[in-house]
Coordinates of all heavy atoms in Angstrom, one line a residue:
Y1 N 0.8 -1.2 0.1 CA 0.0 0.0 0.0 C 0.9 1.2 0.0 O 1.4 1.6 1.0 CB -0.9 0.0 1.2 CG -1.9 -1.2 1.2 CD1 -1.5 -2.5 1.7 CD2 -3.0 -1.2 0.4 CE1 -2.4 -3.5 1.6 CE2 -3.9 -2.3 0.2 CZ -3.5 -3.4 0.9 OH -4.3 -4.5 0.8
L2 N 1.0 1.9 -1.2 CA 1.9 3.0 -1.3 C 1.4 4.2 -0.5 O 0.2 4.6 -0.5 CB 1.9 3.3 -2.8 CG 2.7 4.5 -3.3 CD1 4.2 4.2 -2.9 CD2 2.6 4.8 -4.7
Q3 N 2.3 4.8 0.1 CA 2.0 6.0 0.9 C 2.9 7.1 0.3 O 4.2 7.1 0.3 CB 2.4 5.8 2.4 CG 2.2 7.1 3.2 CD 2.7 6.9 4.6 OE1 2.8 5.8 5.1 NE2 2.8 8.1 5.2
N4 N 2.2 8.1 -0.3 CA 3.0 9.3 -0.8 C 2.5 10.6 -0.1 O 2.4 11.6 -0.8 CB 2.8 9.4 -2.2 CG 1.3 9.2 -2.7 OD1 0.4 9.3 -1.8 ND2 1.1 9.2 -4.0
D5 N 2.3 10.5 1.1 CA 2.0 11.6 2.0 C 2.5 11.5 3.3 O 3.3 10.6 3.6 CB 0.3 11.8 2.1 CG -0.2 10.4 2.7 OD1 0.2 10.0 3.7 OD2 -1.2 10.0 2.1
N6 N 2.2 12.4 4.2 CA 2.8 12.4 5.5 C 1.8 12.2 6.6 O 2.1 12.5 7.8 CB 3.6 13.6 5.7 CG 2.8 15.0 5.8 OD1 1.7 14.9 5.6 ND2 3.4 16.1 6.0
W7 N 0.7 11.6 6.3 CA -0.3 11.4 7.4 C -1.0 10.0 7.4 O -1.7 9.8 8.4 CB -1.6 12.5 7.2 CG -2.2 12.3 5.8 CD1 -1.9 13.0 4.7 CD2 -3.4 11.5 5.6 NE1 -2.7 12.6 3.7 CE2 -3.6 11.7 4.2 CE3 -4.1 10.7 6.3 CZ2 -4.7 11.0 3.6 CZ3 -5.3 10.0 5.7 CH2 -5.5 10.2 4.3
S8 N -0.9 9.3 6.3 CA -1.7 8.0 6.3 C -1.0 6.8 6.8 O -1.4 5.7 6.6 CB -2.1 7.8 4.9 OG -1.0 7.5 4.1
C9 N 0.1 6.9 7.5 CA 0.9 5.7 7.8 C 0.2 4.8 8.8 O 0.2 3.6 8.6 CB 2.3 6.1 8.5 SG 2.1 7.1 10.0
G10 N -0.6 5.3 9.7 CA -1.5 4.5 10.5 C -2.5 3.6 9.8 O -2.8 2.6 10.1
F11 N -3.2 4.3 8.9 CA -4.1 3.7 8.0 C -3.4 2.5 7.2 O -3.9 1.5 7.1 CB -4.9 4.7 7.1 CG -5.8 5.6 7.8 CD1 -5.3 6.9 8.1 CD2 -6.9 5.2 8.2 CE1 -6.0 7.8 8.8 CE2 -7.8 6.2 9.0 CZ -7.3 7.5 9.3
R12 N -2.3 2.9 6.6 CA -1.5 1.9 5.8 C -1.1 0.8 6.6 O -1.2 -0.4 6.2 CB -0.3 2.6 5.1 CG -0.7 3.7 4.2 CD -1.5 3.4 3.0 NE -1.7 4.5 2.3 CZ -2.7 4.6 1.3 NH1 -3.4 3.5 1.0 NH2 -3.0 5.7 0.5
N13 N -0.7 1.0 7.9 CA -0.3 -0.1 8.8 C -1.5 -1.1 9.0 O -1.3 -2.3 9.0 CB 0.3 0.3 10.0 CG 1.8 0.9 9.8 OD1 2.5 0.4 9.0 ND2 2.1 1.9 10.7
L14 N -2.6 -0.5 9.3 CA -3.9 -1.2 9.5 C -4.2 -2.1 8.2 O -4.6 -3.2 8.3 CB -5.0 -0.3 9.9 CG -6.4 -1.1 10.0 CD1 -6.3 -2.1 11.1 CD2 -7.5 0.0 10.5
Q15 N -4.1 -1.5 7.1 CA -4.4 -2.2 5.8 C -3.4 -3.4 5.7 O -3.9 -4.4 5.2 CB -4.3 -1.2 4.7 CG -5.4 -0.2 4.5 CD -5.2 0.7 3.3 OE1 -4.1 1.2 3.2 NE2 -6.3 0.9 2.6
M16 N -2.1 -3.2 5.9 CA -1.1 -4.3 5.9 C -1.5 -5.4 6.8 O -1.4 -6.5 6.5 CB 0.3 -3.7 6.1 CG 0.8 -2.9 4.9 SD 0.8 -3.6 3.4 CE 2.1 -4.8 3.6
L17 N -1.9 -5.0 8.0 CA -2.2 -6.0 9.1 C -3.4 -6.8 8.5 O -3.4 -8.1 8.6 CB -2.6 -5.3 10.4 CG -3.0 -6.2 11.4 CD1 -2.0 -7.1 12.0 CD2 -3.4 -5.3 12.6
L18 N -4.4 -6.1 8.0 CA -5.7 -6.9 7.6 C -5.3 -7.7 6.4 O -5.7 -8.8 6.3 CB -6.7 -5.8 7.2 CG -7.4 -5.0 8.4 CD1 -8.3 -4.0 7.9 CD2 -7.9 -6.0 9.3
S19 N -4.4 -7.2 5.4 CA -4.1 -8.1 4.2 C -3.5 -9.3 4.6 O -3.6 -10.3 3.9 CB -3.3 -7.3 3.3 OG -2.0 -7.0 3.8
G20 N -2.7 -9.3 5.7 CA -2.0 -10.5 6.1 C -2.9 -11.5 6.7 O -2.5 -12.6 6.9
M21 N -4.1 -11.1 7.1 CA -5.0 -12.0 7.7 C -6.1 -12.4 6.7 O -7.0 -13.2 7.1 CB -5.7 -11.4 9.0 CG -4.8 -11.1 10.0 SD -5.6 -10.6 11.6 CE -5.6 -8.9 11.3
L22 N -6.1 -12.0 5.5 CA -7.0 -12.5 4.5 C -6.4 -13.8 3.9 O -5.3 -14.0 3.9 CB -7.0 -11.5 3.3 CG -7.8 -10.1 3.7 CD1 -7.7 -9.2 2.5 CD2 -9.3 -10.4 4.0
P23 N -7.3 -14.8 3.6 CA -8.6 -14.7 3.3 C -9.4 -15.2 4.6 O -10.6 -15.1 4.6 CB -8.9 -15.7 2.2 CG -7.8 -16.9 2.5 CD -6.6 -16.0 3.0
R24 N -8.8 -15.3 5.8 CA -9.6 -15.7 7.0 C -10.6 -14.6 7.3 O -11.6 -14.9 7.9 CB -8.5 -15.8 8.1 CG -9.2 -16.2 9.4 CD -8.1 -16.5 10.4 NE -8.8 -16.9 11.7 CZ -8.8 -16.0 12.8 NH1 -8.2 -14.9 12.7 NH2 -9.4 -16.3 13.9
L25 N -10.2 -13.3 7.0 CA -11.2 -12.3 7.3 C -12.1 -11.8 6.2 O -13.0 -11.0 6.3 CB -10.4 -11.0 7.7 CG -9.5 -11.1 8.9 CD1 -8.7 -9.8 9.1 CD2 -10.3 -11.4 10.1
S26 N -12.1 -12.7 5.2 CA -13.1 -12.4 4.0 C -14.5 -12.4 4.5 O -15.3 -11.6 3.8 CB -12.9 -13.4 2.8 OG -13.1 -14.6 3.3
P27 N -15.0 -13.1 5.5 CA -16.4 -12.8 5.9 C -16.7 -11.4 6.4 O -17.8 -10.9 6.2 CB -16.7 -13.9 6.9 CG -15.6 -15.0 6.7 CD -14.5 -14.2 6.1
I28 N -15.7 -10.9 7.0 CA -15.9 -9.5 7.6 C -15.6 -8.5 6.5 O -16.2 -7.4 6.4 CB -14.9 -9.3 8.8 CG1 -15.1 -10.4 9.8 CG2 -15.0 -7.9 9.2 CD1 -14.0 -10.4 10.9
F29 N -14.6 -8.7 5.6 CA -14.3 -7.7 4.5 C -14.4 -8.5 3.2 O -13.3 -8.8 2.5 CB -12.8 -7.3 4.7 CG -12.6 -6.7 6.1 CD1 -11.9 -7.3 7.1 CD2 -13.1 -5.4 6.3 CE1 -11.7 -6.7 8.3 CE2 -13.0 -4.8 7.6 CZ -12.2 -5.4 8.6
P30 N -15.6 -8.8 2.7 CA -15.8 -9.5 1.4 C -15.2 -8.8 0.3 O -14.8 -9.5 -0.7 CB -17.3 -9.6 1.3 CG -17.9 -8.6 2.3 CD -16.9 -8.4 3.3
G31 N -15.0 -7.5 0.3 CA -14.4 -6.8 -0.8 C -12.9 -6.6 -0.8 O -12.4 -5.9 -1.5
G32 N -12.3 -7.4 0.2 CA -10.9 -7.2 0.3 C -10.5 -6.2 1.5 O -11.5 -5.8 2.2
V33 N -9.3 -5.7 1.4 CA -8.8 -4.8 2.4 C -9.5 -3.4 2.2 O -9.7 -3.0 1.2 CB -7.3 -4.5 2.3 CG1 -6.8 -3.5 3.1 CG2 -6.6 -5.8 2.5
P34 N -10.1 -2.9 3.3 CA -10.9 -1.7 3.2 C -9.9 -0.5 2.8 O -8.8 -0.4 3.2 CB -11.6 -1.5 4.5 CG -10.7 -2.3 5.5 CD -10.1 -3.3 4.7
S35 N -10.5 0.5 2.1 CA -9.8 1.7 1.7 C -9.7 2.6 3.0 O -10.3 2.3 4.0 CB -10.6 2.4 0.6 OG -11.9 2.9 1.2
I36 N -8.9 3.6 2.9 CA -8.8 4.5 3.9 C -10.1 5.2 4.2 O -10.5 5.3 5.5 CB -7.7 5.6 3.6 CG1 -6.3 5.1 3.8 CG2 -7.8 6.8 4.6 CD1 -5.2 5.9 3.4
A37 N -10.8 5.5 3.3 CA -12.3 6.1 3.4 C -13.1 5.1 4.2 O -13.9 5.7 4.9 CB -12.8 6.6 2.1
E38 N -13.1 3.9 3.9 CA -13.9 2.9 4.5 C -13.5 2.7 5.9 O -14.3 2.6 6.8 CB -13.8 1.5 3.7 CG -14.6 1.6 2.4 CD -14.2 0.4 1.6 OE1 -13.1 -0.2 1.6 OE2 -15.1 0.0 0.8
I39 N -12.2 2.8 6.2 CA -11.7 2.7 7.6 C -12.1 3.9 8.4 O -12.6 3.9 9.5 CB -10.2 2.6 7.6 CG1 -9.7 1.3 7.0 CG2 -9.6 2.8 9.1 CD1 -8.3 1.2 6.8
Q40 N -12.1 5.2 7.8 CA -12.4 6.3 8.4 C -14.0 6.3 8.8 O -14.4 6.8 9.8 CB -12.2 7.6 7.5 CG -10.7 7.9 7.4 CD -10.4 9.0 6.4 OE1 -11.1 9.1 5.4 NE2 -9.4 9.9 6.8
S41 N -14.8 5.8 7.8 CA -16.2 5.7 8.1 C -16.5 4.7 9.3 O -17.3 4.9 10.1 CB -16.9 5.3 6.8 OG -18.3 5.0 7.0
A42 N -15.8 3.7 9.1 CA -16.0 2.6 10.3 C -15.7 3.2 11.7 O -16.2 3.0 12.7 CB -15.2 1.3 9.9
M43 N -14.4 4.0 11.6 CA -14.1 4.6 12.9 C -15.2 5.5 13.4 O -15.4 5.5 14.6 CB -12.9 5.4 12.7 CG -11.6 4.6 12.4 SD -11.0 3.5 13.7 CE -10.6 4.7 14.9
E44 N -15.8 6.3 12.5 CA -16.8 7.2 13.0 C -18.0 6.4 13.5 O -18.6 6.7 14.6 CB -17.2 8.2 11.9 CG -16.2 9.2 11.6 CD -16.8 10.3 10.7 OE1 -18.0 10.4 10.4 OE2 -15.9 11.0 10.2
T45 N -18.4 5.3 12.9 CA -19.4 4.4 13.3 C -19.1 3.7 14.7 O -19.9 3.8 15.6 CB -19.7 3.2 12.4 OG1 -20.0 3.8 11.0 CG2 -20.8 2.3 12.8
L46 N -17.9 3.3 14.9 CA -17.5 2.6 16.2 C -17.6 3.8 17.3 O -17.9 3.5 18.5 CB -16.2 1.9 16.1 CG -14.9 2.6 16.0 CD1 -14.3 2.9 17.3 CD2 -13.9 1.7 15.3
W47 N -17.1 5.0 17.1 CA -17.3 6.1 18.0 C -18.7 6.3 18.4 O -19.0 6.5 19.5 CB -16.7 7.4 17.5 CG -15.1 7.3 17.3 CD1 -14.2 6.3 18.0 CD2 -14.3 8.1 16.5 NE1 -13.0 6.6 17.5 CE2 -12.9 7.6 16.8 CE3 -14.6 9.1 15.7 CZ2 -11.9 8.3 16.1 CZ3 -13.4 9.7 15.0 CH2 -12.2 9.3 15.2
L48 N -19.6 6.4 17.4 CA -21.0 6.5 17.6 C -21.6 5.5 18.5 O -22.6 5.7 19.3 CB -21.9 6.6 16.4 CG -21.7 7.9 15.6 CD1 -22.4 7.7 14.2 CD2 -22.3 9.1 16.3
R49 N -21.1 4.3 18.4 CA -21.4 3.1 19.3 C -20.7 3.0 20.7 O -21.0 2.0 21.3 CB -21.4 1.8 18.4 CG -22.3 1.8 17.3 CD -22.2 0.5 16.6 NE -23.1 0.6 15.4 CZ -23.2 -0.2 14.5 NH1 -22.4 -1.3 14.6 NH2 -24.0 0.0 13.5
G50 N -19.9 4.0 21.0 CA -19.3 4.0 22.2 C -17.9 3.5 22.4 O -17.4 3.5 23.4
F51 N -17.4 3.0 21.3 CA -15.9 2.6 21.3 C -15.0 3.7 21.3 O -15.2 4.7 20.6 CB -15.7 1.7 20.1 CG -16.1 0.3 20.2 CD1 -17.5 0.1 19.8 CD2 -15.3 -0.8 20.4 CE1 -18.0 -1.2 19.8 CE2 -15.8 -2.0 20.4 CZ -17.2 -2.3 20.1
D52 N -14.0 3.7 22.1 CA -12.8 4.7 22.2 C -13.3 6.1 22.3 O -13.0 6.9 21.3 CB -12.0 4.4 20.9 CG -10.7 5.1 21.0 OD1 -10.3 5.6 22.0 OD2 -10.0 5.1 19.8
R53 N -14.0 6.4 23.3 CA -14.6 7.7 23.4 C -13.5 8.8 23.5 O -13.6 10.0 23.0 CB -15.5 7.8 24.6 CG -16.7 7.1 24.5 CD -17.7 7.2 25.6 NE -18.9 6.6 25.4 CZ -19.6 5.9 26.3 NH1 -19.0 5.7 27.4 NH2 -20.7 5.3 25.9
T54 N -12.4 8.4 24.1 CA -11.3 9.5 24.2 C -10.7 9.9 22.9 O -10.7 11.1 22.6 CB -10.1 8.8 25.0 OG1 -10.5 8.4 26.3 CG2 -9.0 9.8 25.1
N55 N -10.5 9.0 22.0 CA -10.0 9.3 20.6 C -11.2 9.8 19.8 O -10.9 10.7 18.9 CB -9.3 8.1 19.9 CG -7.9 8.0 20.4 OD1 -7.2 9.0 20.2 ND2 -7.5 6.9 21.0
A56 N -12.4 9.5 20.1 CA -13.5 10.2 19.3 C -13.4 11.7 19.7 O -13.6 12.5 18.7 CB -14.8 9.6 19.8
E57 N -13.3 12.0 20.9 CA -13.2 13.5 21.3 C -11.9 14.1 20.7 O -12.0 15.3 20.2 CB -13.2 13.5 22.8 CG -14.5 13.3 23.4 CD -14.7 13.7 24.9 OE1 -14.0 14.5 25.3 OE2 -15.5 12.9 25.5
H58 N -10.8 13.4 20.7 CA -9.5 14.0 20.3 C -9.7 14.3 18.8 O -9.2 15.3 18.4 CB -8.4 12.8 20.4 CG -7.2 13.3 19.7 ND1 -6.3 14.1 20.2 CD2 -6.6 12.8 18.5 CE1 -5.2 14.3 19.3 NE2 -5.5 13.5 18.4
H59 N -10.4 13.5 18.0 CA -10.6 13.7 16.5 C -11.9 14.5 16.3 O -12.2 14.6 15.1 CB -10.6 12.4 15.7 CG -9.3 11.7 15.7 ND1 -8.2 12.1 15.0 CD2 -8.9 10.6 16.4 CE1 -7.2 11.2 15.2 NE2 -7.6 10.3 16.0
G60 N -12.5 15.0 17.3 CA -13.8 15.8 17.0 C -14.9 14.9 16.5 O -15.8 15.4 15.8
H61 N -14.8 13.6 16.8 CA -15.9 12.7 16.3 C -15.9 12.6 14.8 O -17.0 12.3 14.3 CB -17.3 13.0 16.9 CG -17.2 12.9 18.4 ND1 -17.6 11.8 19.1 CD2 -17.0 13.8 19.3 CE1 -17.4 12.0 20.4 NE2 -17.1 13.2 20.6
S62 N -14.9 13.1 14.1 CA -15.0 13.1 12.6 C -13.6 12.7 12.1 O -12.5 13.3 12.4 CB -15.4 14.4 12.2 OG -15.3 14.6 10.8
L63 N -13.6 11.8 11.1 CA -12.4 11.4 10.5 C -12.5 11.4 8.9 O -11.6 11.6 8.2 CB -11.9 10.0 10.8 CG -11.0 9.8 11.9 CD1 -10.6 8.4 12.0 CD2 -9.7 10.6 11.8
I64 N -13.7 11.2 8.5 CA -14.0 11.1 6.9 C -13.5 12.2 6.2 O -13.9 13.4 6.6 CB -15.5 10.8 6.7 CG1 -16.0 9.5 7.4 CG2 -15.8 10.8 5.1 CD1 -17.4 9.3 7.2
G65 N -12.6 12.0 5.3 CA -12.0 13.0 4.4 C -10.9 13.8 5.0 O -10.4 14.6 4.4
K66 N -10.6 13.5 6.3 CA -9.5 14.3 7.0 C -8.2 13.6 6.8 O -8.1 12.4 6.8 CB -9.8 14.5 8.4 CG -11.0 15.4 8.7 CD -11.2 15.6 10.2 CE -12.4 16.5 10.5 NZ -12.5 16.7 11.8
K67 N -7.1 14.4 6.7 CA -5.7 14.0 6.6 C -5.1 14.0 8.0 O -4.4 14.9 8.3 CB -5.0 14.7 5.7 CG -5.6 14.6 4.2 CD -4.7 15.5 3.1 CE -5.3 15.2 1.8 NZ -4.5 16.0 0.9
T68 N -5.6 13.1 8.9 CA -5.1 13.1 10.2 C -4.5 11.7 10.5 O -4.9 10.7 10.0 CB -6.2 13.4 11.1 OG1 -5.7 13.6 12.5 CG2 -7.4 12.5 11.1
W69 N -3.5 11.7 11.4 CA -3.0 10.4 11.9 C -3.9 9.6 12.8 O -4.7 10.2 13.5 CB -1.7 10.7 12.7 CG -0.6 11.5 11.9 CD1 -0.6 11.9 10.6 CD2 0.6 11.8 12.5 NE1 0.6 12.4 10.3 CE2 1.4 12.5 11.4 CE3 1.2 11.7 13.7 CZ2 2.6 12.9 11.7 CZ3 2.5 12.3 13.9 CH2 3.2 12.9 12.9
I70 N -3.7 8.2 12.7 CA -4.3 7.5 13.7 C -3.1 6.6 14.3 O -2.1 6.4 13.6 CB -5.4 6.5 13.2 CG1 -4.8 5.5 12.1 CG2 -6.6 7.3 12.7 CD1 -5.8 4.5 11.7
G71 N -3.3 6.1 15.5 CA -2.2 5.3 16.1 C -2.8 4.0 16.5 O -3.8 3.4 16.1
T72 N -2.0 3.4 17.4 CA -2.2 1.9 17.7 C -3.6 1.8 18.6 O -4.3 0.9 18.4 CB -1.1 1.4 18.7 OG1 -0.9 2.2 19.8 CG2 0.1 1.2 17.9
V73 N -4.0 2.8 19.4 CA -5.2 2.8 20.1 C -6.5 2.8 19.1 O -7.3 2.1 19.3 CB -5.4 3.9 21.1 CG1 -6.7 3.9 21.7 CG2 -4.2 3.8 22.1
E74 N -6.4 3.6 18.0 CA -7.4 3.6 17.0 C -7.5 2.3 16.3 O -8.5 1.8 16.1 CB -7.2 4.8 16.0 CG -7.5 6.2 16.6 CD -6.3 6.9 17.2 OE1 -5.2 6.2 17.4 OE2 -6.3 8.1 17.4
V75 N -6.3 1.7 16.0 CA -6.2 0.5 15.3 C -6.8 -0.6 16.3 O -7.6 -1.5 15.7 CB -4.9 0.1 14.9 CG1 -4.7 -1.4 14.4 CG2 -4.3 1.1 13.8
W76 N -6.5 -0.6 17.5 CA -7.0 -1.6 18.5 C -8.6 -1.5 18.6 O -9.3 -2.5 18.5 CB -6.4 -1.4 19.8 CG -7.1 -2.2 20.9 CD1 -6.8 -3.6 21.1 CD2 -8.2 -1.9 21.7 NE1 -7.6 -4.1 22.2 CE2 -8.4 -3.0 22.5 CE3 -8.9 -0.6 21.9 CZ2 -9.5 -2.9 23.5 CZ3 -9.9 -0.7 22.9 CH2 -10.1 -1.8 23.7
S77 N -9.0 -0.2 18.6 CA -10.5 0.0 18.6 C -11.2 -0.6 17.2 O -12.2 -1.2 17.4 CB -10.8 1.5 18.7 OG -10.3 2.0 19.9
Y78 N -10.6 -0.3 16.2 CA -11.1 -0.7 14.9 C -11.1 -2.3 14.9 O -12.2 -2.9 14.5 CB -10.2 -0.3 13.7 CG -10.7 -0.6 12.4 CD1 -11.6 0.1 11.7 CD2 -10.2 -1.8 11.7 CE1 -11.9 -0.2 10.4 CE2 -10.7 -2.2 10.5 CZ -11.5 -1.4 9.8 OH -11.9 -1.8 8.5
L79 N -10.1 -3.0 15.3 CA -10.0 -4.4 15.3 C -11.1 -5.1 16.3 O -11.7 -6.0 16.1 CB -8.7 -4.9 15.7 CG -7.6 -4.6 14.6 CD1 -6.1 -5.0 15.2 CD2 -7.9 -5.2 13.3
S80 N -11.2 -4.4 17.5 CA -12.1 -4.9 18.6 C -13.5 -4.7 18.0 O -14.4 -5.5 18.3 CB -11.9 -4.0 19.8 OG -10.6 -4.3 20.4
F81 N -13.8 -3.6 17.4 CA -15.1 -3.3 16.9 C -15.6 -4.4 15.9 O -16.7 -4.9 15.9 CB -15.2 -1.9 16.1 CG -16.5 -1.6 15.5 CD1 -17.7 -1.2 16.4 CD2 -16.6 -1.6 14.1 CE1 -18.8 -0.9 15.8 CE2 -17.8 -1.2 13.6 CZ -18.9 -0.9 14.4
H82 N -14.6 -4.9 15.1 CA -14.8 -5.9 14.2 C -14.6 -7.3 14.6 O -14.7 -8.3 13.9 CB -14.0 -5.7 12.9 CG -14.4 -4.5 12.0 ND1 -13.9 -3.3 12.1 CD2 -15.3 -4.5 11.1 CE1 -14.5 -2.5 11.3 NE2 -15.3 -3.2 10.6
R83 N -14.3 -7.4 16.0 CA -14.2 -8.6 16.8 C -13.1 -9.5 16.1 O -13.1 -10.7 15.9 CB -15.5 -9.5 16.7 CG -16.6 -8.8 17.4 CD -17.8 -9.5 17.5 NE -18.8 -8.7 18.1 CZ -19.8 -9.2 18.8 NH1 -20.0 -10.5 19.0 NH2 -20.7 -8.3 19.3
I84 N -12.0 -8.8 15.9 CA -10.7 -9.5 15.4 C -9.7 -9.5 16.4 O -9.5 -8.5 17.2 CB -10.2 -8.6 14.2 CG1 -11.2 -8.5 13.0 CG2 -8.8 -9.1 13.7 CD1 -10.9 -7.6 12.0

């Protein structure tokens, strides 16, 4: 997953992690590894459902379309939300 910017490394690391677990995760991600936009959308959904309230507040409850970093806590929340 090519990164040609200075903000998407956390998203790219998550994508690489997920790609290493395919095809086992294909029931969860039938279209393959999610795009950054799909990850951002899922992050907002999990925040709405009460996951990772601290980072939801840190990011202003909004990630879609933003060029902002995510870290290991956001990745953990994403994986936990998907029961991985």
Side-chain angles (χ1 to χ4, degrees):
Y1 298 93
L2 180 62
Q3 177 185 343
N4 53 7
D5 56 50
N6 63 359
W7 62 271
S8 69
C9 58
F11 293 102
R12 301 296 180 192
N13 285 330
L14 176 56
Q15 287 176 318
M16 289 299 293
L17 177 67
L18 294 173
S19 72
M21 292 188 273
L22 290 175
R24 183 172 176 253
L25 296 180
S26 60
I28 300 169
F29 305 107
V33 175
S35 68
I36 290 177
E38 290 169 327
I39 294 169
Q40 290 174 327
S41 177
M43 291 296 296
E44 289 189 15
T45 298
L46 70 89
W47 291 339
L48 286 171
R49 295 187 184 170
F51 282 77
D52 193 11
R53 291 184 175 138
T54 301
N55 276 303
E57 287 187 27
H58 172 77
H59 291 288
H61 300 270
S62 175
L63 269 185
I64 296 174
K66 293 185 177 178
K67 296 179 178 182
T68 188
W69 295 0
I70 62 167
T72 55
V73 174
E74 289 93 345
V75 170
W76 174 82
S77 297
Y78 182 88
L79 294 173
S80 295
F81 179 72
H82 286 94
R83 298 178 187 215
I84 299 172

